[in-house]
Amino acid sequence: TDLHTSIDKFQFDNVFMNASGVRCYTKGELDELAQSDAGTLVTKSATQAKRLGNPSPRYARLELGSINSMGLPNEGLEYYLDYALNFQKANPDKPIFLSVAGLSMEENLAMAHAIEDSDFNGLVEFNLSCPNVPGKPQTGYDFDRTQEVLTNLFSFFTKPAGVKLPPYFDLAQFDQMAAILNQFPLKFVNSINSLGNGLMIDPETDTALIKPKGGFGGIGGAYAKPIALANVRAFSQRLDPKIQLIGTGGVTNGRDAYDLILAGASLVQVGTLLQEEGPAAFTRLTRELRAVMQTKGYSAISDFKGQLKVLS
Ligand SMILES: C=Cc1c(C(=O)O)[nH]c(=O)[nH]c1=O
């Protein structure tokens, strides 16, 4: 069984990769991902300037996943662009993703210009869904703003790009968002980011588990699986076939990855599990997905990608 997959002209020898924000802040962490069984990697979402992010505790493991309000801590775009340029020289056949999360239209466009003018030859993920910067609404929940950002962006940006979306929970929102996304030369849509603004409580102290925003933070892990499946499936049914899906959310084993691929995902990102288990998780996930494929009689990702059946 072969876990080879592709997005646009980019080929990956394994369908798994990290979710942005997880074990991808420093060059050391990024190198560990590069040396793991993952097919590729994405950098922590960057802002122009380095950010320290929110006060700790800002991440907590939960019974069925995680809660985080990191607050977009990152080393700044130049750091990750520098990593990417060095990486592509040393690994010409392993395209990587650069994630960008500007806090304003101007910042997003300025970073996009910097990337456009660089020799970066991988894919850019514009993160429209960071839920944890106090006072900053998620762009992905504002349809007009999303339309405006993408219009301005693609008026000059020519490198391969996609967007990271928040979860949607209403079919009319899938329709509206897909109608916007179909207007642009996107190579991929990545669904979903964490379930924004959840809250969990420490049973000993009756206190919110994390400090920022009175304890409100993005929820990841198994809690997110049914929402991730629905978002990948809904966009797979609505987007122009030229726009491929990346599935993110709730992957704890090979079957979870198999399900995201059935829903339409061409790549599968791993967040909470990677945070908790480390890059060795990719070795286990690869083994488990191969086992599921063998059971089903499939030898390639393309044999079952998007082949979810429904009851008639
Ligand atoms: C880029 C900020 C994000 C963060 C963060 O840095 O708090 N956490 C998430 O779960 N998703 C994000 O997109």
Side-chain angles (χ1 to χ4, degrees):
T1 56
D2 170 1
L3 301 193
H4 172 94
T5 189
S6 65
I7 287 195
D8 187 43
K9 66 189 185 202
F10 299 96
Q11 307 285 327
F12 306 96
D13 64 9
N14 189 315
V15 71
F16 290 107
M17 65 182 289
N18 68 301
S20 180
V22 181
R23 293 185 183 250
C24 60
Y25 287 75
T26 64
K27 294 183 178 184
E29 287 186 316
L30 290 162
D31 284 344
E32 277 185 50
L33 292 177
Q35 284 141 25
S36 77
D37 283 343
T40 183
L41 61 88
V42 56
T43 56
K44 167 64 184 174
S45 294
T47 44
Q48 267 184 320
K50 177 184 167 76
R51 279 174 59 89
L52 296 178
N54 291 337
S56 294
R58 58 192 190 181
Y59 173 90
R61 178 179 186 167
L62 306 175
E63 189 189 350
L64 298 175
S66 64
I67 186 167
N68 91 83
S69 186
M70 309 306 284
L72 195 41
N74 74 96
E75 294 297 320
L77 177 65
E78 197 175 328
Y79 180 95
Y80 299 108
L81 195 45
D82 181 56
Y83 180 87
L85 293 174
N86 289 327
F87 186 92
Q88 64 190 32
K89 284 195 199 84
N91 306 271
D93 57 358
K94 189 172 199 176
I96 65 172
F97 290 74
L98 196 58
S99 176
V100 164
L103 298 183
S104 67
M105 173 85 74
E106 297 68 31
E107 186 175 22
N108 266 314
L109 298 179
M111 289 195 284
H113 273 295
I115 297 167
E116 180 70 12
D117 298 344
S118 79
D119 293 332
F120 178 59
N121 62 24
L123 301 99
V124 181
E125 181 173 277
F126 289 98
N127 182 353
L128 305 180
S129 46
C130 180
N132 300 322
V133 179
K136 284 286 175 187
Q138 294 182 69
T139 301
Y141 285 147
D142 181 334
F143 296 117
D144 293 339
R145 187 158 167 69
T146 298
Q147 170 97 38
E148 193 188 354
V149 168
L150 295 179
T151 300
N152 291 342
L153 181 65
F154 287 107
S155 69
F156 66 89
F157 198 76
T158 65
K159 290 184 188 288
V163 290
K164 177 77 170 283
L165 298 179
Y168 300 96
F169 301 90
D170 181 285
L171 297 194
Q173 289 180 332
F174 291 131
D175 294 340
Q176 273 183 282
M177 199 58 194
I180 293 169
L181 296 169
N182 279 329
Q183 297 168 34
F184 300 99
L186 294 162
K187 302 300 183 191
F188 67 91
V189 162
N190 182 352
S191 289
I192 61 177
N193 206 318
S194 53
L195 310 176
N197 293 296
L199 173 65
M200 284 296 258
I201 299 169
D202 180 326
E204 301 302 314
T205 63
D206 295 357
T207 309
L209 274 179
I210 59 174
K211 182 169 185 179
K213 294 171 57 179
F216 282 61
I219 302 298
Y223 299 110
K225 177 170 174 176
I227 312 304
L229 287 178
N231 276 258
V232 170
R233 171 70 169 174
F235 283 117
S236 176
Q237 292 174 312
R238 290 167 173 77
L239 291 176
D240 183 309
K242 287 200 301 293
I243 305 179
Q244 293 179 251
L245 274 301
I246 298 181
T248 307
V251 174
T252 66
N253 58 39
R255 177 75 215 196
D256 296 331
Y258 180 87
D259 290 343
L260 278 169
I261 297 165
L262 271 186
S266 295
L267 278 170
V268 173
Q269 293 191 345
V270 184
T272 301
L273 179 72
L274 172 62
Q275 181 60 46
E276 297 301 329
E277 198 166 308
F282 292 118
T283 307
R284 173 170 71 83
L285 290 169
T286 298
R287 184 175 62 248
E288 292 175 351
L289 175 56
R290 285 208 163 101
V292 175
M293 288 168 67
Q294 250 150 7
T295 308
K296 301 280 185 177
Y298 295 135
S299 58
I301 298 295
S302 53
D303 291 346
F304 64 102
K305 182 169 76 172
Q307 301 306 313
L308 170 66
K309 292 176 269 188
V310 293
L311 296 171
S312 54

